[in-house]
Amino acid sequence: MAEGKVRSIRIAAETGSTNADLLDALRSSERVPEGEWLVTDRQTAGRGRQGRDWFDGAGNFMGSTVVRPGPNDPPAHTLALLAGLALYEAVTPMCSDPSAVSLKWPNDLLLGGAKLAGILLEREGDAVVLGFGVNLAKAPDVPDRETIALSALGPAPSRDLFARDLAISLDKELERWRSYGLEPTLRRWCAAAHAVGTPLSVHEPDGTICEGAFKGLDAEGALQITLAGGTVRTIHAGDVLHAKET
């Protein structure tokens, strides 16, 4: 189990969306401190990236927290990579084969190539809400991709203990990000990602589909893929799938 300070973790029996609740609190000028968590047993209107609904599985982790980037911090958009790393560090000790756990840009967590968790970042003023959905007990049936839950490896982890570990892991990653800058975060993210050369298909926001091989990240955390002709393309936004998922 992770060690370190434990942030405030508030548990709600049911809510529409933990991200939406924290965003509403920020819009109402309520002072939501950095590091306060809202976790729910049941989420009726959860949201994922690209406007998708988020699966509400009993026993899974559904929770959000607030980060307030400062003027001397790395760019706020790189919190997506930091959040993915925090999740990776919280989950990996629970797996008998840590090498089966990997990150996919910008912040999906995979187990054996199947999606285990996702993260949604939303900004309100000077604050960023980080929402995490982790399949601890149940995996959704998604037509276009393979999914998995940690319960496939053994007894499902305790949601409340997992919440504590994730909160501590995120605190540690934030401290590193602020103390040492972006470069170590990028390096560690790439070490936790699928291998260089992995075939990827990127569905960009304008509907364009770009296919190539994973090359790494640029200095600002954008995805780089090598196209068939050898040209390197930089991707700033999009839905990334392994070639086998397309």
Side-chain angles (χ1 to χ4, degrees):
M1 181 177 292
E3 297 180 355
K5 59 186 175 182
V6 178
R7 294 285 194 157
S8 170
I9 301 176
R10 182 161 47 99
I11 306 293
E14 180 177 315
T15 190
S17 160
T18 55
N19 259 36
D21 286 353
L22 291 182
L23 289 167
D24 287 345
L26 292 166
R27 293 185 187 116
S28 68
S29 299
E30 179 181 339
R31 183 64 187 178
V32 182
E34 177 173 296
E36 179 171 307
W37 284 79
L38 175 61
V39 175
T40 187
D41 298 332
R42 183 164 186 268
Q43 190 165 252
T44 60
R47 293 166 291 130
R49 294 183 67 249
Q50 308 294 324
R52 297 187 185 90
D53 292 336
W54 182 255
F55 173 65
D56 173 22
N60 287 349
F61 178 85
M62 295 159 283
S64 304
T65 190
V66 172
V67 175
R68 295 181 178 274
N72 297 319
D73 289 343
H77 72 267
T78 63
L79 285 169
L81 303 173
L82 181 152
L85 263 179
L87 187 56
Y88 173 87
E89 295 291 350
V91 166
T92 300
M94 302 178 182
C95 301
S96 57
D97 180 10
S99 67
V101 185
S102 63
L103 289 167
K104 184 178 69 174
W105 190 89
N107 49 24
D108 278 349
L109 189 68
L110 308 180
L111 176 61
K115 183 169 179 174
L116 177 68
I119 303 169
L120 176 66
L121 277 70
E122 297 181 278
R123 185 152 194 168
E124 181 61 35
D126 65 350
V128 180
V129 175
L130 280 61
F132 296 79
V134 187
N135 301 330
L136 301 180
K138 299 179 182 178
D141 183 12
V142 180
D144 64 346
R145 66 198 65 191
E146 186 181 359
T147 61
I148 194 170
L150 281 174
S151 59
L153 306 180
S158 159
R159 193 279 311 276
D160 291 349
L161 291 179
F162 181 82
R164 175 187 181 276
D165 283 357
L166 179 56
I168 292 171
S169 182
L170 183 63
D171 274 348
K172 289 181 177 179
E173 294 304 330
L174 281 168
E175 184 176 358
R176 291 178 178 130
W177 183 73
R178 286 172 167 149
S179 298
Y180 304 112
L182 182 57
E183 193 277 333
T185 296
L186 299 181
R187 178 164 29 87
R188 291 177 56 238
W189 190 96
C190 287
H194 43 72
V196 170
T198 299
L200 300 177
S201 175
V202 184
H203 296 230
E204 299 185 73
D206 63 0
T208 302
I209 298 177
C210 178
E211 295 185 344
F214 176 62
K215 185 178 186 296
L217 305 178
D218 74 3
E220 296 297 319
L223 174 68
Q224 292 190 312
I225 62 172
T226 304
L227 305 181
T231 302
V232 175
R233 181 163 180 177
T234 300
I235 305 291
H236 295 279
D239 192 17
V240 179
L241 302 175
H242 285 177
K244 67 179 182 180
E245 300 176 283
T246 59

